[in-house]
Amino acid sequence: MESSILDSLGVEIIGVMAPVSISANLIYLENPSDSATVKLEGSIENAIVFVVLVAAVTFILVLLFYYNFTKFLKHYMRFSAFFVLGTMGGAIFLSIIQHFSIPVDSITCSILLFNFTILGTMSVFAGGIPIVLRQCYMVVMGIVVAAWFTKLPEWTTWFILVALALYDLVAVLAPGGPLKLLVELASSRDEELPAMVYEARPTISSGNQGGNRGSTLRVLVGGGGGGGGVSDSTSVELQAVRNHDTNQHGRGNSHNMDYNAIAVRDTDNVDGNGDGNRDGVERSPLVASPISSEHSTAEVGMRGNVETVTDEEMSPLVELMGWGDNNSEEPRDLEESLNRGIKLGLGDFIFYSVLVGRAAMYDLMTVYACYLAIISGLGCTLILLSVYNRALPALPISIMLGVVFYFLTRLLMEPFVVGMTTNLMMF
Amino acid sequence: MTVAAGIGYALVALGPSLSLFVSVISRKPFLILTVLSSTLLWLVSLIILSGLWRPFLPLKANVWWPYALLVVTSVCFQEALRFMFWKVYKRLEDVLDSFADRISRPRLFLTDKLLIALAGGLGHGVAHAVFFCLSLLTPAFGPATFYVEKCSKVPFFLVSAIIALAFVTIHTFSMVIAFEGYAKGNKVDQVIVPVIHLAAGMLTLVNFASEGCVVGVPLLYVVASLTLVHCGKMVWQRLLESRNQSSGSQ
């Protein structure tokens, strides 16, 4: 008998939530120690400086992209991926070795670290690497950077998170925002958006059903840039790509479509999607192209003076069927040709992990509460994405929910629950 | 007491739900989303309740009636939320059905609806176990253990894990009963769920007495098994009915 729709709904959302959960947990394991608080003004100042730096770097990124310095960006990105994995990952390795007293000599250790770093650099932007490896390295990079972030003092961390969420909102949605400019530049040139993304699953269009050879969806995988301190992109730019529409107008430049249009079956918004899948009109393409830039965290006194702009660069991962096929798009059977896959920016991973890691430094209850808040914020953002079909910031909702839940749990829920359970009273 | 003991306590509380999750829920991504959202709902209800009760905390440890009041208000609030959850689910069911029609797939089967109810209940149960038991388990991974005077024969962690297991069962299956009761308009089912929840909450008050947990915990398990049995009977009946219907109509 036919399988019910219950089997297939929600697949893509889970694909993104799983790595977020993993990276959040691993952060907790890495940082068992606590830290002291700083003065209020000091932390606000830190947060402002941080956001200003992030904004400046993003503007530089936009400029570079505008003047077509893509080669430079590409190389810089590779360098920064190498650097992040090598130095920060190396420092974490060393502390793990110390903590668990693993007997290993320095030569072996450096060879292993080198291998790890090279493999990571390659998997992030080169083609032909299995997707699972790329996903793992994305998660690892997110964890590494977030682990460094949790060394920040507590108040600073919270202020930075809130400030970045606000910045993200402004940068993506406001008319002058750098990320919005970037998205528009990329889309007006029909170019790939430089981005470093986590891709939920390999998207291979099965658009060949029934002889339909439309231009299929190109998958772009962001390569690039981790590195350095902050991954700025934070904003998940969930960018709706109008790939499909342009194709339907018969423009045969399918091979120029470098967007990553990953259509998601719109499960939650069935009304908004009008005619249904048969017409091939209704899809909510989701592209999350996070733009991560790094900048040094010198201003918060952490370390490193690496000013690496991670300009992501997208290298086509998979050339789908129909490449170079200049046939105009026929209305396809969308049920089959929907590419499932959501992309989430690496910066978002990092800041989610920072939030959870900071919550972990207080108690496990706050960890669970913040984890649930982030996941639900992510779900809300995805729903909004399918409604609005344009680039959306992924940070604000999750971070705001996370911060609110953290403080509510810490102040309200904990005395309540602990008071009850120690008397063995539950409901 | 050690890592092994800590993991053991965690598995006592969450083992059955983990196996339920892996075998049933993880197959369908939509059910995972349902679990997550019902967990979130339970968390929000807990936060609201603790916000309401915060001015009165900490309660004196010798008097039992403030705790009784606490339990009663919390149970009432959560049952009201369960009803709202059902309303939201009803609307979602309509949306899903129309979506299924649009892509010409069959509408939600009875088993699908039962699965969604189960996932919702599991979310509640897991949230209970996590917030009432797991989050306090961190010291259990260390070298020592902890006893409460009211229940001095068993380590605190073990008792809370056992109680959490009972509550997980109750939450999971009473959600199925409740959804079916609301869907069919069956008064018995609709009423029995709050009654069970309240009874379970009240039974934990027995733990307040000295060595009360010797009596309280087995009674709690009686309630939990009652829930299980009732849910099983009800589901069996519904499945038989629907099979008769579908074979009768053919």
Side-chain angles (χ1 to χ4, degrees):
Chain A
M1 82 177 169
E2 249 181 295
S3 62
S4 124
I5 51 173
L6 205 65
D7 289 339
S8 50
L9 292 176
V11 171
E12 50 276 350
I13 300 184
I14 298 300
V16 167
M17 286 184 180
V20 170
S21 318
I22 293 176
S23 59
N25 282 329
L26 287 177
I27 284 299
Y28 168 58
L29 286 176
E30 303 261 14
N31 291 287
S33 60
D34 206 352
S35 63
T37 55
V38 292
K39 291 199 310 257
L40 204 68
E41 301 101 35
S43 31
I44 294 185
E45 192 184 295
N46 279 343
I48 293 180
V49 169
F50 193 84
V51 169
V52 163
L53 206 66
V54 166
V57 168
T58 315
F59 271 113
I60 295 180
L61 178 69
V62 172
L63 275 178
L64 287 176
F65 189 64
Y66 186 68
Y67 288 113
N68 278 325
F69 278 114
T70 32
K71 273 285 188 190
F72 168 73
L73 294 178
K74 198 181 212 169
H75 291 312
Y76 205 55
M77 214 166 49
R78 288 172 182 161
F79 166 73
S80 46
F82 182 81
F83 188 80
V84 161
L85 285 177
T87 55
M88 299 208 278
I92 291 184
F93 273 160
L94 286 180
S95 61
I96 290 180
I97 291 177
Q98 260 184 322
H99 191 256
F100 289 109
S101 308
I102 303 176
V104 60
D105 60 296
S106 61
I107 300 182
T108 312
C109 187
S110 54
I111 291 180
L112 286 177
L113 185 62
F114 185 68
N115 279 347
F116 173 75
T117 312
I118 290 289
L119 188 59
T121 316
M122 284 197 323
S123 73
V124 155
F125 59 79
I129 309 263
I131 186 91
V132 176
L133 199 62
R134 174 186 277 103
Q135 289 176 334
C136 288
Y137 267 102
M138 285 286 163
V139 172
V140 164
M141 259 199 278
I143 291 173
V144 163
V145 177
W148 276 94
F149 260 101
T150 51
K151 295 196 200 284
L152 286 177
E154 185 173 358
W155 284 91
T156 309
T157 316
W158 292 113
F159 277 108
I160 284 185
L161 282 171
V162 172
L164 269 172
L166 292 173
Y167 162 74
D168 199 25
L169 196 61
V170 168
V172 174
L173 295 179
L179 293 173
K180 188 176 174 117
L181 290 179
L182 199 60
V183 165
E184 282 167 8
L185 269 181
S187 60
S188 63
R189 288 190 204 168
D190 268 354
E191 262 180 34
E192 321 166 340
L193 191 63
M196 186 165 198
V197 300
Y198 173 93
E199 185 188 8
R201 48 158 74 191
T203 53
I204 299 190
S205 158
S206 50
N208 228 357
Q209 261 89 11
N212 288 334
R213 308 273 316 269
S215 88
T216 51
L217 308 173
R218 276 299 147 94
V219 173
L220 295 177
V221 174
V230 178
S231 247
D232 169 19
S233 59
T234 60
S235 48
V236 156
E237 298 213 348
L238 302 179
Q239 177 188 22
V241 176
R242 37 191 225 295
N243 186 8
H244 181 75
D245 294 338
T246 53
N247 285 338
Q248 262 194 334
H249 290 83
R251 287 211 313 238
N253 53 349
S254 48
H255 59 278
N256 286 334
M257 298 305 248
D258 282 331
Y259 291 106
N260 99 39
I262 310 296
V264 157
R265 179 176 281 177
D266 202 0
T267 67
D268 291 309
N269 197 16
V270 285
D271 341 327
N273 277 341
D275 333 346
N277 296 325
R278 295 270 154 175
D279 309 341
V281 169
E282 249 356 277
R283 268 189 316 178
S284 22
L286 292 184
V287 166
S289 12
I291 301 184
S292 39
S293 36
E294 311 161 19
H295 26 256
S296 80
T297 54
E299 82 283 4
V300 285
M302 282 209 359
R303 48 142 173 92
N305 294 322
V306 181
E307 200 50 59
T308 48
V309 173
T310 64
D311 275 347
E312 309 73 9
E313 190 160 324
M314 303 211 274
S315 41
L317 170 63
V318 171
E319 285 192 2
L320 305 170
M321 299 178 276
W323 185 81
D325 172 21
N326 287 337
N327 297 343
S328 58
E329 179 78 28
E330 284 117 11
R332 293 179 276 172
D333 223 351
L334 273 181
E335 298 154 44
E336 285 84 62
S337 62
L338 281 178
N339 280 349
R340 303 279 157 55
I342 293 184
K343 299 191 175 184
L344 186 64
L346 198 63
D348 302 306
F349 268 95
I350 291 176
F351 286 106
Y352 296 157
S353 311
V354 170
L355 182 71
V356 174
R358 181 51 65 178
M361 292 187 183
Y362 183 71
D363 193 13
L364 264 188
M365 214 180 291
T366 45
V367 170
Y368 296 126
C370 288
Y371 168 74
L372 282 174
I374 289 180
I375 293 284
S376 57
L378 192 62
C380 281
T381 311
L382 290 174
I383 292 176
L384 275 183
L385 183 77
S386 62
V387 167
Y388 284 108
N389 270 349
R390 41 185 293 224
L392 285 182
L395 272 193
I397 301 181
S398 293
I399 298 280
M400 290 309 183
L401 273 182
V403 172
V404 163
F405 271 60
Y406 172 79
F407 284 108
L408 281 181
T409 305
R410 179 171 168 169
L411 299 172
L412 292 183
M413 206 173 88
E414 188 151 356
F416 182 73
V417 170
V418 172
M420 285 195 71
T421 48
T422 44
N423 286 311
L424 292 181
M425 216 149 317
M426 308 188 188
F427 56 86
Chain B
M1 279 186 284
T2 47
V3 174
I7 297 181
Y9 296 140
L11 283 178
V12 164
L14 278 182
S17 32
L18 190 66
S19 40
L20 201 61
F21 186 84
V22 166
S23 60
V24 174
I25 310 259
S26 64
R27 300 286 160 82
K28 308 193 185 213
F30 187 76
L31 293 179
I32 302 182
L33 293 175
T34 314
V35 169
L36 283 174
S37 42
S38 78
T39 311
L40 185 74
L41 185 71
W42 208 88
L43 170 65
V44 166
S45 77
L46 202 60
I47 289 184
I48 295 179
L49 279 172
S50 48
L52 285 174
W53 275 94
R54 183 73 176 94
F56 305 100
L57 294 176
L59 294 173
K60 291 193 292 285
N62 309 323
V63 190
W64 64 269
W65 61 265
Y67 288 103
L69 202 58
L70 198 76
V71 169
V72 167
T73 52
S74 314
V75 169
C76 292
F77 186 71
Q78 285 192 334
E79 290 303 319
L81 265 175
R82 192 194 300 267
F83 186 66
M84 255 188 39
F85 192 46
W86 183 74
K87 284 274 189 229
V88 170
Y89 160 70
K90 256 330 239 169
R91 209 173 318 163
L92 183 70
E93 194 182 306
D94 293 334
V95 165
L96 286 179
D97 275 340
S98 61
F99 177 69
D101 285 340
R102 191 136 21 103
I103 61 171
S104 8
R105 295 275 274 271
R107 299 186 147 212
L108 287 176
F109 300 123
L110 174 66
T111 45
D112 289 337
K113 300 186 196 175
L114 289 176
L115 277 176
I116 295 182
L118 185 71
L122 191 69
H124 274 216
V126 165
H128 175 102
V130 160
F131 286 104
F132 277 95
C133 170
L134 277 195
S135 52
L136 302 171
L137 266 190
T138 329
F141 286 88
T145 188
F146 180 63
Y147 288 86
V148 193
E149 320 89 50
K150 303 246 172 64
C151 195
S152 56
K153 302 286 195 277
V154 184
F156 164 69
F157 305 113
L158 187 58
V159 169
S160 75
I162 293 178
I163 296 181
L165 176 63
F167 268 102
V168 164
T169 318
I170 292 178
H171 280 304
T172 311
F173 295 106
S174 58
M175 186 69 87
V176 180
I177 301 177
F179 272 30
E180 280 304 303
Y182 292 132
K184 292 287 162 207
N186 187 350
K187 285 295 175 199
V188 172
D189 282 344
Q190 284 178 18
V191 165
I192 206 174
V193 167
V195 164
I196 286 183
H197 197 182
L198 199 61
M202 288 311 202
L203 274 175
T204 54
L205 283 177
V206 173
N207 294 331
F208 205 75
S210 172
E211 303 302 330
C213 56
V214 176
V215 171
V217 175
L219 282 179
L220 197 60
Y221 270 85
V222 166
V223 174
S225 32
L226 261 176
T227 320
L228 252 179
V229 162
H230 185 90
C231 179
K233 264 193 337 205
M234 188 195 74
V235 169
W236 189 252
Q237 267 174 1
R238 291 277 293 124
L239 286 175
L240 277 182
E241 252 175 43
S242 86
R243 192 187 316 163
N244 288 341
Q245 256 179 8
S246 62
S247 61
S249 61
Q250 276 162 7

